[in-house]
Amino acid sequence: MEQGVGSESIPTPGSMDKSKIFDIRPLRCLVPTFPSSPGTSAFSSPQPSPFMCFPPTGPFPPGVSPFYPFLVPTESLRSAVPNQAGHSGFNNAIPSPVPLTSFRPTSTKKSRAANGSTGPSRKSSRYRTAAIHLDVDGYSDSQHQTDQYLSGFSMHVADAEDTSSKVRRRKGKSEMRTRSGREVSPGVDIDLVANSFLESFNLAEFDSVRQADGDTQSIRYILMIFDLLRRRITQVEEGREAAPGGLRRPDLKAGAILMNKGVRTNTKKRIGAVPGIEIGDIFFFRMEMCLVGLHAPSMAGIDFMSFKLVQGEDSLAISIVSSGGYEDNVDDGDVLIYSGQGGNIYRKDKFVDITDQKLERGNLALEKSLHRGNHVRVIRGVKDVANPTGKIYLYDGLYKIQHSWAEKGRSGVNVFKYKLVRVPGQPEAFTMWKSIQQWKEGITSRVGVILPDLTSGAENLPVSLVNDVDDEKGPAYFTYFPTLKYRKPFHSPQPSRSCMCRGGCQPGDLNCSCIQKNGGVLPYTALGVLLIYKALIHECGSSCLCPPNCRNRMSQAGLKVRLEVFRTKDRGWGVRSWDPIRAGAFICEYAGEVIDVSTEEELEREREDHYIFDATCTNEPSDVMAGNSIESPKIPFPLVVSAKKGGNVARFMNHSCTPNVYWQPVLRECNNEAYLHIAFFAIGHIPPMKELTYDYGTGQSGQAGQRKKKCLCGSLKCRGHF
């Protein structure tokens, strides 16, 4: 006999008559329940009656029956309450139902999906294909990634928008909280941030002429805008409430925005060298090469151009990217054995068929270039030691295809092979890169080394002293120490609060006092890249509870790259790096003894020395600050440092009117005492063995002891003196 369903019975598993449930709707679609009039059927339309409100578990007024799943007898409900006598068939107490007001309303798109939509919108699904869950700046830009990552970036800014961020943008919301209760900054519209950022730059100069053919200045300007915009987007997305490691690709977003606005150059495809790009230049993102016209495809490894012939069209290869994506690529100095494209031979997915490569598109263009003998640009993709998930792209110059053939690869299918030989007479690039690796591994020795470690172990990385120019045996004696020496610290007029971030300061955490001092943002990425220029950066001090590897202690962790002090031809000693340095990366701080600027006699005496850093002489690089500063530049403290008797590697850094390094004041506070430090950061990407220089600046008008010295930087914008 079928068990009845009533207010005093509980359905046993499998006994519920589901035919009695005629319509199932989401809770937001349920209509108010009215008591049935006496004598009416349960299936007839209810008669007009006053609205009655009652809890879903009862008690119920006459004529109203409970509905599933609230078919629980009164005794069971009583037994669920502590200290109440009764009998229950449940082992645990029944939690109170969640009020309907606690459910957050969803967007219109999500509502449609919940009510039988065929699937997510095209825009949102396209964006998700471009999302990669990696560390900040940790992008795997492999040569042979499929185009799925760019399918969400059709060079239209709207398609680069995170649809979930639109849901988060709520008027009147000044703060958000993560699941752990940590207070974070609210969501920000990426489009508004990008447009506001780009207003600070002169984009009108990128007319059709500058877009078609570039120069060194245009290349430098475009790459700087791209990297500053990418860093700004990174900072905005870090402040959002997102899953750990769930940052999207700010490099693709920044590139798509600039492509839309025409901020690019060398759009005209050409065979041979590209105006404004030098052999040995490095790139950390494929999108950078697209913007400057070195290699147009954002993912494909072969770039080619078509041209018309009398009997039809033909194609020639103009550039290739060799980054180890294919299993059979072999490089040996000036010779490269390059595998063709296609056949899915690089795919590790078991569900994708691996087939023979075909002589079409890029492969066909390489074959045509073999017969015509044209030059092909070669970009080498090498491992980024500082970032295991990323690559560095090195422009290695022009090559010629000498031979081609087909053979069975390790995957068991036919693969096209091309032997490329470097054109002689070009500056070293990849061969220099390999030599540096051999120096580091001790396979070969660096020519001209005077001291293998100038620091005598004071730094976490050795600093070589090298002279391969003349017979000079080294600079005058000085004591090496890696940081500033204060006679007395500055007194902070306001009590300083130390942060309580035992696990390290986290982006977007508005509870962190150190982040509050920085205007609500964390100034660095996990790789030590400065996200935004500030007149003063507040780093965590010795009284903060965060660990030594906290992201807000970036300048306190010592050298990040392997440096050498070398003898220049006409400017004494200089500094350069064995490692590539990415734009915005921390290099080192300026160490020495802080001079009391109130003592004019001592200050004037120290100015006679060449090894001095004067923070009162300012000439911040305007190109770095444009669009990347959230406050007007100012000098927070008068600071003069002498490195005559003691200091670090920064004392050897020369001046340039077109520098590749700039200095940034960094403040560390402890017990209401402030310690100002000078940290150096890269303006743009700096290739290995490129001299590091910064602008010494211009002294204040009427400043005592001010002298001019002839400048030998040799840049096109040289002022003639400093």
Side-chain angles (χ1 to χ4, degrees), residues 279-280 396 422 426-432 435:
I279 296 173
D396 197 30
R422 195 168 190 257
Q426 300 180 92
E428 282 189 307
F430 184 64
T431 53
M432 172 60 70
S435 296

Side-chain angles (χ1 to χ4, degrees), residues 360-477:
E360 60 185 12
R361 298 179 58 79
N363 297 337
L364 181 60
L366 287 172
E367 191 69 26
K368 297 289 186 180
S369 294
L370 166 63
H371 297 293
R372 290 185 175 271
N374 66 283
H375 290 166
V376 178
R377 298 188 295 271
V378 171
I379 299 101
R380 306 268 193 165
V382 295
K383 183 180 179 181
D384 185 1
V385 178
N387 177 21
T389 61
K391 286 186 179 295
I392 302 172
Y393 299 95
L394 170 69
Y395 175 46
D396 197 30
L398 302 178
Y399 281 66
K400 274 191 174 183
I401 305 175
Q402 192 177 80
H403 183 46
S404 70
W405 68 96
E407 67 180 28
K408 286 215 179 276
R410 298 177 207 168
S411 55
V413 297
N414 288 329
V415 177
F416 288 106
K417 293 299 193 69
Y418 302 90
K419 180 181 179 181
L420 292 93
V421 180
R422 195 168 190 257
V423 176
Q426 300 180 92
E428 282 189 307
F430 184 64
T431 53
M432 172 60 70
W433 197 288
K434 295 186 70 173
S435 296
I436 293 173
Q437 300 306 312
Q438 292 177 348
W439 299 344
K440 290 181 178 180
E441 297 170 4
I443 299 175
T444 59
S445 59
R446 171 80 167 96
V447 177
V449 173
I450 300 173
L451 283 175
D453 186 9
L454 181 66
T455 75
S456 299
E459 298 280 10
N460 54 357
L461 291 174
V463 177
S464 302
L465 180 64
V466 179
N467 184 359
D468 54 5
V469 175
D470 53 32
D471 296 330
E472 184 70 32
K473 296 303 181 183
Y477 176 80

Side-chain angles (χ1 to χ4, degrees), residues 286-352:
R286 291 285 293 262
M287 189 59 75
E288 291 176 315
M289 296 189 289
C290 298
L291 291 172
V292 300
L294 179 63
H295 186 79
S298 56
M299 288 295 166
I302 304 173
D303 189 10
F304 57 92
M305 61 182 293
S306 300
F307 57 94
K308 292 185 178 181
L309 297 174
V310 178
Q311 298 179 349
E313 286 191 354
D314 208 345
S315 61
L316 292 177
I318 57 177
S319 66
I320 62 173
V321 176
S322 176
S323 60
Y326 277 95
E327 58 187 20
D328 300 305
N329 280 10
V330 178
D331 59 71
D332 182 18
D334 293 337
V335 177
L336 171 66
I337 306 299
Y338 185 78
S339 298
Q341 62 182 189
N344 292 322
I345 64 174
Y346 59 92
R347 294 288 294 271
K348 296 180 180 179
D349 186 343
K350 296 180 180 179
F351 303 101
V352 176

Side-chain angles (χ1 to χ4, degrees), residues 573-590:
W573 299 94
V575 181
R576 58 191 176 195
S577 172
W578 289 10
D579 297 319
I581 305 174
R582 64 194 304 152
F586 169 73
I587 300 172
C588 65
E589 71 166 290
Y590 196 97

